[in-house]
């Protein structure tokens, strides 16, 4: 799961981590999930921009995308423009693991 808004998510670090993880797990190919988010304040514009950044990296390196993951409230908006499968996630960062709205 790749969040381009997190530290060390630039192309060089991403590719190095991906290589290490797939080698350690003995995976023949990676399953990459785009999860561009800034927490509960993420807008659909943030998702579009971050997702596009990751797609550029994947394309340059011949890597596949499995799907895009977005916060549940953004699912319908993401489905309108995304050209890949989209899945909804609930953030569970509240007290006691309560889902954030």
């Amino acid at each position: 799961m790749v969040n381009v808004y997190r530290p060390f998510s630039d192309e060089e670090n991403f590719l190095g981590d991906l290589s290490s993880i797939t080698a350690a797990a003995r995976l023949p190919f990676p399953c990459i999930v785009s999860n561009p988010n800034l927490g509960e304040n993420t807008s659909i514009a943030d998702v579009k921009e971050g997702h596009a950044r990751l797609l550029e990296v994947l394309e340059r390196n011949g890597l596949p995308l499995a799907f895009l993951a977005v916060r549940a409230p953004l699912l319908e908006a993401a489905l309108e423009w995304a050209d890949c499968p989209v899945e909804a996630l609930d953030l569970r960062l509240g007290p006691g693991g309560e889902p954030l709205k």
Side-chain angles (χ1 to χ4, degrees):
M1 187 167 280
V2 182
N3 181 354
V4 298
Y5 295 118
R6 296 295 176 240
F8 307 109
S9 64
D10 60 272
E11 186 168 352
E12 182 179 345
N13 283 302
F14 163 67
L15 294 174
D17 289 347
L18 182 64
S19 177
S20 296
I21 291 167
T22 53
R26 297 185 179 117
L27 294 173
F29 58 89
C31 180
I32 301 168
V33 175
S34 178
N35 180 229
N37 77 82
L38 298 165
E40 64 183 304
N41 296 318
T42 305
S43 69
I44 197 65
D46 297 325
V47 172
K48 286 181 182 181
E49 179 185 332
H51 184 64
R53 284 174 41 197
L54 179 60
L55 288 178
E56 289 173 9
V57 170
L58 297 180
E59 186 175 319
R60 263 194 306 276
N61 293 280
L63 295 167
L65 175 74
F67 61 92
L68 168 64
V70 299
R71 287 182 50 240
L74 301 176
L75 178 63
E76 297 229 3
L79 288 169
E80 290 178 11
W81 60 263
D83 59 355
C84 65
V86 182
E87 296 291 333
L89 297 176
D90 287 322
L91 292 180
R92 298 194 178 269
L93 302 174
E98 295 292 323
L100 294 176
K101 302 290 179 196

